[in-house]
Amino acid sequence: MSIAAPPLVRPAAPAISPDQAIREVEENLLETRRRIIRQRIATGALRLFTIGAVALALIAALDYSLELAAAWRGLALLSIVGGTIALAVTGWRRWVTSYTLPAAAKDAERRAAEFGQRLRTTLDYEYDIESPRPAEASRGLLHALHAETHQVSRRTNWDALVDGRPLVKALALAAACFVVWVIALVASSEFRLAAGRSLMLPLQYTTVTFTPQSSTIKYGESVTVQAEVSGSRIRRGKIDER
C-alpha cells in the first residue's frame, strides 16, 4: 500500500506595495529621460559641429574666389561663432530643459503602446505636475493603476524606448564632414591657406620676394630687379617688368 504525497506548494511571492511599485516605474522613467537628454546633447553638439564646419568651408571658398579683406573675414568668423552660440542656447532651451518627466512619459507611451496612458495618469496623481488637477480618484483605484503600470513596466524593454537614430545620423554627417575636411587639407595647399585665412591667420595666397640692391644707380641708368613670386598667381594688379 502506497501513500501519495501531497504536491509541494510554493509560497506565493509577496505582492509589491503600491509605493514601491510606483518608485520602480519612476526610476525606469527617470533613467530613460536621462539617457534621452544625454543623447540629445550629443546629437546637438554633432549638428553644431557640422554646421560650423560647412559654414567655415563656405567662407574659405568665398575668400579664395574674392580674396576678402581681413575685416570681412573677421566679421564672417564672428557670425559663425555668434550663430553657433545662439543655436546652442536655443537648442538647450527647446530640446533639453523642456524635456520634462511628462514629456518622457508621453514618448514612452508612444513607443510602447501597452502602457496606454498609465504613465501620464500616474504622474498626474502622484506629482501634481499637470494643470488643471485631475479628477478625484479613490486610493484603491490608484493602487490598482500603480500595480498595472508596474506590471507593464517590468515587461517593457526600456532600452528600446530610446530612439538612437537621430544620434546615428548626426554622427554620420559629422564624420563625413570631418573626412572631407581632412582630405581637402591634405590634398590642396590652397585650401589650407583659405582655411587658415578664414580663421584669421596671417596668411597670403601670393608672396613676392626680391633681393635688395646694394650698388649705386646713376640717374638714367637701368637696373635689373629679380623678384620671386610664390603661391597662387597674382590675380589683381600687374607687375611692371621694366
Side-chain angles (χ1 to χ4, degrees):
M1 180 177 178
S2 62
I3 301 175
L8 296 177
V9 179
R10 296 181 179 178
I16 188 172
S17 66
D19 293 337
Q20 186 178 356
I22 196 58
R23 281 198 300 270
E24 290 187 9
V25 174
E26 179 189 6
E27 290 175 359
N28 289 327
L29 187 58
L30 284 173
E31 178 59 26
T32 302
R33 175 178 174 266
R34 284 192 289 266
R35 291 180 58 192
I36 292 176
I37 286 178
R38 289 195 296 266
Q39 177 181 282
R40 290 188 171 193
I41 293 174
T43 302
L46 289 171
R47 288 177 177 175
L48 288 176
F49 169 79
T50 303
I51 293 173
V54 171
L56 192 62
L58 291 176
I59 294 175
L62 187 62
D63 179 67
Y64 179 75
S65 301
L66 302 177
E67 296 186 20
L68 300 174
W72 290 109
R73 285 183 279 123
L75 179 61
L77 186 60
L78 287 177
S79 299
I80 292 179
V81 174
T84 301
I85 294 175
L87 286 175
V89 172
T90 302
W92 182 267
R93 291 177 178 176
R94 295 184 179 180
W95 218 40
V96 176
T97 58
S98 64
Y99 194 70
T100 59
L101 201 60
K106 183 178 180 180
D107 285 346
E109 292 171 350
R110 179 174 55 85
R111 298 185 63 84
E114 58 269 21
F115 273 118
Q117 291 189 353
R118 293 182 178 90
L119 289 176
R120 280 180 289 176
T121 304
T122 299
L123 293 179
D124 289 345
Y125 281 100
E126 289 299 318
Y127 301 100
D128 194 23
I129 298 177
E130 297 292 339
S131 181
R133 292 177 55 86
E136 295 294 333
S138 66
R139 296 302 302 176
L141 289 176
L142 292 179
H143 290 169
L145 172 65
H146 296 169
E148 291 179 359
T149 306
H150 179 258
Q151 292 175 3
V152 177
S153 173
R154 298 194 65 178
R155 297 194 303 266
T156 300
N157 181 9
W158 287 90
D159 293 336
L161 302 185
V162 181
D163 187 7
R165 290 175 296 179
L167 179 59
V168 172
K169 292 179 181 178
L171 181 59
L173 286 176
C177 186
F178 177 78
V179 170
V180 171
W181 261 87
V182 170
I183 293 175
L185 289 174
V186 172
S188 175
S189 60
E190 292 187 345
F191 182 78
R192 290 196 296 269
L193 285 172
R197 283 170 56 86
S198 63
L199 292 174
M200 300 304 297
L201 296 180
L203 301 176
Q204 299 295 332
Y205 291 113
T206 306
T207 302
V208 181
T209 58
F210 70 97
T211 303
Q213 297 291 329
S214 59
S215 59
T216 302
I217 310 297
K218 295 182 179 180
Y219 180 78
E221 293 182 350
S222 62
V223 63
T224 302
V225 177
Q226 294 182 349
E228 181 181 353
V229 180
S230 59
S232 301
R233 184 178 47 142
I234 295 178
R235 287 169 287 180
R236 290 186 177 179
K238 297 181 180 179
I239 297 180
D240 192 352
E241 298 180 350
R242 293 181 297 174

